């Protein structure tokens, strides 16, 4: 029985559909933040967890609904975790304001070369993170879940499936193929997002979850 309204804290239709289908079998009836005419919050946290909490709190408090937010990105070890929480920003072309991931790939390659990294021969370790936060605006309680997938970067970019940084990322499991060269369902089976959602769904039914939902 779907007995909890859950606001999915994103204005992005694709993300809303993905998240509501991941939660399809559970007790939530999902509502999109785009059903409300809200400005986007300023994501000024220092890490993924802080930013997903900022988003969950903002949308939860504005709508008075239980809210679920996520924040994700690619972290490159030798770049001290960059682009990290700025992953989306690194793909923006300042002259047009449009998103172009080839630009982000070139930015990463340039930063690596500035550190004397050989793009063809050095092992460039990196990982994707997804942090999910559920927030109850009535009792101010929240809980976060984090998923991670480890791999290496490859240049030039390869593959036309997936999105974002997928064409330069090879997960440990798929050895020589980038995330953009494998079937999306294979990527999904191991992705940072899936891991975060698995942790979230194993929280259902727990005493902590009942506590988070308890408005009395
Ligand atoms: P946000 O979480 O919507 O703010 O997006 C974070 C950024 O990380 C976006 O630019 C995404 O393209 C990128 N990103 C997050 N997850 C993935 C992924 O699974 N593959 C490729 N890029 C990703």
């Amino acid at each position: 029985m779907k007995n909890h309204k859950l606001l999915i804290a994103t204005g992005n239709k694709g993300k809303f559909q993905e998240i509501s289908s991941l939660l399809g079998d559970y007790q939530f009836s999902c509502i999109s933040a785009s059903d409300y005419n809200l400005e986007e919050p300023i994501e000024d946290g220092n890490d993924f967890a802080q930013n997903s909490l900022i988003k969950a709190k903002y949308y939860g408090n504005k709508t008075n609904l239980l809210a679920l937010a996520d924040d994700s990105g690619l972290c490159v070890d030798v770049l001290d975790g960059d682009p990290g929480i700025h992953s989306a920003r690194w793909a923006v072309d300042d002259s047009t304001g449009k998103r172009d991931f080839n630009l982000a790939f070139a930015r990463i390659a340039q930063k690596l070369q500035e550190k004397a990294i050989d793009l063809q021969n050095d092992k460039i370790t990196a990982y994707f993170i997804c942090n999910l936060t559920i927030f109850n605006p009535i009792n101010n309680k929240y809980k976060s879940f984090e998923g991670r997938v480890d791999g290496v970067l490859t240049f030039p970019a390869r593959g036309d499936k997936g999105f974002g940084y997928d064409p330069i990322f090879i997960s440990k499991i798929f050895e020589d193929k980038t995330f953009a060269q494998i079937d999306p369902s294979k990527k999904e089976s191991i992705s940072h997002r899936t891991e975060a959602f698995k942790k979230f769904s194993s929280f259902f039914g727990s005493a902590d979850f009942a506590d988070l939902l308890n408005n009395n």
Side-chain angles (χ1 to χ4, degrees), residues 1-155:
M1 192 176 69
K2 296 189 187 277
N3 54 1
H4 298 294
K5 281 188 181 170
L6 180 68
L7 183 100
I8 310 297
T10 177
N12 180 316
K13 273 188 191 158
K15 205 183 239 187
F16 173 73
Q17 272 158 5
E18 188 185 313
I19 294 178
S20 29
S21 82
L22 280 163
L23 295 176
D25 296 338
Y26 302 103
Q27 52 193 320
F28 299 112
S29 129
C30 296
I31 299 164
S32 171
S34 61
D35 291 353
Y36 295 80
N37 202 7
L38 296 172
E39 305 228 324
E40 290 192 1
I42 298 167
E43 297 175 33
D44 55 1
N46 293 321
D47 58 27
F48 296 105
Q50 287 181 10
N51 278 343
S52 79
L53 179 59
I54 286 170
K55 287 187 257 189
K57 278 192 169 169
Y58 172 86
Y59 286 103
N61 285 328
K62 289 276 182 196
T63 61
N64 244 3
L65 293 172
L66 200 61
L68 181 73
D70 80 321
D71 200 48
S72 60
L74 175 75
C75 303
V76 184
D77 286 306
V78 76
L79 300 182
D80 301 322
D82 275 345
I85 55 171
H86 308 294
S87 292
R89 181 80 197 82
W90 277 35
V92 176
D93 181 339
D94 289 329
S95 60
T96 62
K98 288 196 174 143
R99 226 179 238 198
D100 174 0
F101 275 90
N102 288 315
L103 210 63
F105 306 157
R107 281 185 179 150
I108 292 177
Q110 190 192 335
K111 300 261 180 209
L112 290 168
Q113 282 165 328
E114 283 167 12
K115 293 202 175 254
I117 303 289
D118 179 337
L119 298 184
Q120 307 309 321
N121 297 309
D122 286 335
K123 184 175 174 189
I124 308 161
T125 56
Y127 51 94
F128 280 113
I129 292 275
C130 173
N131 188 289
L132 273 182
T133 299
I134 183 164
F135 171 72
N136 182 347
I138 312 295
N139 62 16
N140 265 317
K141 289 185 180 159
Y142 66 88
K143 176 96 178 161
S144 294
F145 310 86
E146 199 153 282
R148 168 175 171 149
V149 59
D150 284 277
V152 292
L153 298 189
T154 185
F155 296 92

